[in-house]
Amino acid sequence: IVAARLVVRAGSAGDPAARPGLAGFTAAMLDEGTAARDALGIARELEEIGATLTTGVNEDGTNITGRALKQSAEAFLAVLADVATAPSFPATEIERVRSQRLTQLLQQRENPFQTAIRVGTPVVYGEGHPYGHIALGREESLKAVTRDELVLFYRQYFAPANSALVLAGDLTRDEAQRLAQRAFGAWRGTAKEAPRPGPASSIPERVVVVDKPGATQTAMLVAQPFITRADPAYEELNTMLLVFGGLFSSRLNMNLREDKGWTYGAFGFMPDRRGPAPMMAGSMVQADASGGAVRETLAEIEGMLAAPITPEELAAAKESYIRGLPALFETCAGTAGTIGGLFLYEQPPDYYLNLPARIQALTAEGVHAATRKWLDAGQLRVVLVGDRQAILPQLEPLNLGAVATMDADGKRVN
């Protein structure tokens, strides 16, 4: 097997202010036709050699990924390179993809936790921030996107200097270089520098409620802007978050699930970002425990700030962190994705080589110092998606200040 991942530093953070979702729309169009192949031709050619190819986007980058048997690798990479370097953005396919993406937005509205993330993103970052919208975008923007805008976004960001090709599998280095040269050797062009989003500007209210009348559960999301992937404190804070909400035995899960019985599970983590990532904690809790879940989550955060984690917690977090690393390289596709992430977030290629030793060297005091520097209870914002009439009385004893009410699209309502 040979797996490939072309990583382009072109994500939703590069969306124009008036076009949230443009990067994702552009990525979705890449395999819908090129100068040499139409969408059906691409699918047929891949099927004939037993290969797969998909496109996707996150806040910071676009990925074109796939895999094939080694004997078909050259033919597979020819298709991948054509998709990446010569998309034609056919008008008929644009309308079909537009419809698909609008449908995805409708589906998200029916999912309380996806709604919490969609609403919580601009709540935490502010509407105008590059991270202030989800990668899928917004309905009015998706309806308005034109072919010219898709082409312009592509031309601005898709170029060799902004991209990396990762190959993993049954290849020697020389074989990989020959395949890459044949597929991408003729690619030329200059790219706009990938965005590096700056500080966030959260809304003034600490709590937002999205009303779902009659809901028997509440989706709770607690978040704040946190650190960049390149920050030196990344590993300390990842370790802290394992203790807080990243393990089954984490403080938050043991509190909300095992002790209180309000939920099937609670979590806390931060995704990787070129700019300030969000620290997120959350859970689906029974409706009559909405206020209690917020209270306990905030209390657990205060507990992380109050004192270093215990030696037992540090040991468990280190073990989980280190033992989880092999899974990143378990498959060819996983390996390509892992190394592609190093390019996207500007980490050295040998990042993982000495990571276990760095994790083992972490101390509870060092983890606590990083926690106190970056975790800020005053920046936390709480988003609750559920029955507003049931939620509001539970929030009053918490004295969290004014509560904003928004609809499922993040628009304020009276």
Side-chain angles (χ1 to χ4, degrees):
I1 295 289
V2 170
R5 176 173 290 239
L6 184 75
V7 184
V8 184
R9 289 175 181 150
S12 61
D15 288 340
R19 287 291 180 268
L22 181 61
F25 203 149
T26 303
M29 287 299 303
L30 295 176
D31 60 351
E32 297 295 339
T34 70
R37 300 170 171 90
D38 61 16
L40 289 176
I42 292 169
R44 198 161 39 238
E45 198 166 334
L46 292 169
E47 184 178 11
E48 287 173 354
I49 59 174
T52 63
L53 189 147
T54 59
T55 65
V57 71
N58 62 22
E59 289 77 9
D60 296 303
T62 297
N63 295 301
I64 307 174
T65 62
R67 63 178 184 167
L69 294 174
K70 182 176 181 178
Q71 61 262 34
S72 303
E74 185 171 351
F76 158 62
L77 283 173
V79 178
L80 190 153
D82 193 31
V83 164
T85 65
S88 60
F89 300 98
T92 55
E93 304 297 346
I94 287 174
E95 295 311 313
R96 182 176 59 80
V97 171
R98 190 194 312 275
S99 178
Q100 289 176 343
R101 299 184 77 74
L102 288 168
T103 299
Q104 290 175 33
L105 279 178
L106 290 173
Q107 292 170 336
Q108 280 193 353
R109 287 195 185 103
E110 300 305 312
N111 184 303
F113 210 87
Q114 288 185 355
T115 297
I117 292 174
R118 178 163 64 175
V119 172
T121 298
V123 164
V124 169
Y125 285 99
E127 286 280 354
H129 193 275
Y131 290 157
H133 61 277
I134 60 170
L136 185 56
R138 301 193 182 103
E139 181 178 359
E140 61 273 18
S141 173
L142 293 177
K143 287 181 176 179
V145 167
T146 67
R147 181 181 182 278
D148 288 345
E149 289 171 327
L150 294 167
V151 171
L152 177 60
F153 186 90
Y154 172 82
R155 289 177 176 171
Q156 285 179 322
Y157 287 107
F158 283 70
N162 213 20
S163 309
L165 176 67
V166 183
L167 299 175
D170 184 19
L171 294 172
T172 66
R173 179 187 177 118
D174 288 344
E175 287 172 333
Q177 287 180 321
R178 283 196 297 270
L179 285 170
Q181 183 64 31
R182 287 170 189 163
F184 287 93
W187 195 18
R188 299 290 184 270
T190 57
K192 185 177 180 179
E193 185 177 354
R196 297 178 185 279
S201 180
S202 306
I203 68 167
E205 295 92 346
R206 292 189 66 191
V207 183
V208 172
V209 174
V210 178
D211 193 14
K212 293 282 187 181
T216 58
Q217 289 186 304
T218 298
M220 176 190 69
L221 179 70
V222 180
Q224 71 157 90
F226 219 38
I227 64 167
T228 68
R229 178 62 182 82
D231 193 281
Y234 177 84
E235 288 151 20
E236 282 88 350
L237 292 175
N238 237 354
T239 303
M240 179 273 290
L241 287 170
L242 285 170
V243 174
F244 167 67
L247 304 173
F248 183 85
S249 60
S250 69
R251 294 183 183 183
L252 187 62
N253 191 62
M254 295 302 286
N255 186 335
L256 299 189
R257 175 189 160 115
E258 297 300 293
D259 182 43
K260 304 298 191 303
W262 291 337
T263 178
Y264 287 114
F267 68 88
F269 78 107
M270 63 175 172
D272 291 347
R273 295 278 176 86
R274 286 169 61 83
M279 186 287 291
M280 297 191 289
S283 182
M284 290 292 300
V285 299
Q286 59 194 54
D288 60 0
S290 303
V294 173
R295 181 190 67 241
E296 295 301 315
T297 300
L298 297 179
E300 292 295 353
I301 290 171
E302 291 290 353
M304 300 306 300
L305 290 165
I309 58 178
T310 67
E312 294 76 16
E313 289 175 323
L314 180 62
K318 286 182 177 182
E319 182 177 28
S320 175
Y321 204 159
I322 293 170
R323 291 194 176 189
L325 296 177
L328 301 177
F329 302 90
E330 190 172 16
T331 65
C332 297
T335 300
T338 298
I339 302 303
L342 296 181
F343 170 78
L344 183 58
Y345 301 111
E346 298 177 293
Q347 298 301 300
D350 63 352
Y351 172 81
Y352 288 99
L353 189 62
N354 299 309
L355 181 56
R358 293 198 302 274
I359 295 170
Q360 287 286 21
L362 297 177
T363 65
E365 292 73 22
V367 170
H368 191 230
T371 301
R372 290 186 61 83
K373 178 179 178 180
W374 288 105
L375 189 59
D376 184 352
Q379 289 194 60
L380 292 168
R381 296 295 181 268
V382 179
V383 178
L384 300 167
V385 181
D387 189 327
R388 184 173 181 269
Q389 288 187 341
I391 291 172
L392 290 182
Q394 299 179 56
L395 295 177
E396 290 178 6
L398 304 183
N399 297 316
L400 297 176
V403 177
T405 301
M406 296 185 180
D407 65 16
D409 294 313
K411 296 177 181 177
R412 291 177 180 264
V413 297
N414 293 329

